[in-house]
Amino acid sequence: MALPHARPMDIISVAPLGDALAQSVSTSLIKTDRLQLLHLVLRAHQNQPDHHVDEECTVHCLEGVVEVVTPGGVRQLRPGQVVLLPGKERHSLRARTDCAVLVTLVLDHGDAGHGGGTGARTLRNDKT
């Protein structure tokens, strides 16, 4: 059974998971027709495959160290740091340590990307 998304005016926590990080899984916290917040939990050396979303998105590192890889280079994020990606920017995520990130997506009628971000949320355990 899928976990319910938060509703308008619900308070949700994105505080660091600390010791619980190792047992936590990725979840979609909020999803509306125009916005989605994903709490991604990545294990060290786990990568999110290269993909894009149609609109701008942000990647906010909550804990650990994660790299945002784009054709223009690599941005390493540490806790409290956030990066804005332009729409249609190809990118992937590389976890350098166990980490949690908050991804904010702008949606078009509930869709993050026509052939882009919608099918690319499968996480792999590649080591790079």
Side-chain angles (χ1 to χ4, degrees):
M1 180 174 159
L3 295 174
H5 289 103
R7 295 175 306 207
M9 301 304 293
D10 282 354
I11 296 173
I12 57 173
S13 175
V14 293
L17 297 167
D19 293 338
L21 180 62
Q23 294 80 34
S24 297
V25 296
S26 296
T27 57
S28 178
L29 300 173
I30 296 171
K31 186 167 186 193
T32 69
D33 198 41
R34 297 182 32 89
L35 182 73
Q36 185 168 19
L37 265 63
L38 301 169
H39 187 258
L40 298 182
V41 175
L42 302 169
R43 308 289 173 241
H45 309 292
Q46 185 178 15
N47 300 328
Q48 185 186 44
D50 185 67
H51 65 284
H52 77 276
V53 293
D54 284 348
E55 302 295 332
E56 296 171 324
C57 70
T58 63
V59 179
H60 179 174
C61 183
L62 301 172
E63 57 191 314
V65 179
V66 65
E67 293 176 341
V68 180
V69 181
T70 69
V74 177
R75 300 289 188 272
Q76 188 174 85
L77 299 177
R78 295 184 177 279
Q81 296 179 323
V82 62
V83 66
L84 170 67
L85 295 172
K88 298 187 181 11
E89 177 80 25
R90 295 212 62 83
H91 63 279
S92 63
L93 300 179
R94 292 192 303 217
R96 289 304 177 204
T97 65
D98 287 352
C99 62
V101 299
L102 183 67
V103 176
T104 304
L105 302 170
V106 176
L107 304 179
D108 179 13
H109 302 296
D111 189 5
H114 304 286
T118 55
R121 291 198 185 95
T122 302
L123 302 178
R124 299 184 311 207
N125 220 1
D126 296 343
K127 301 202 186 233
T128 56

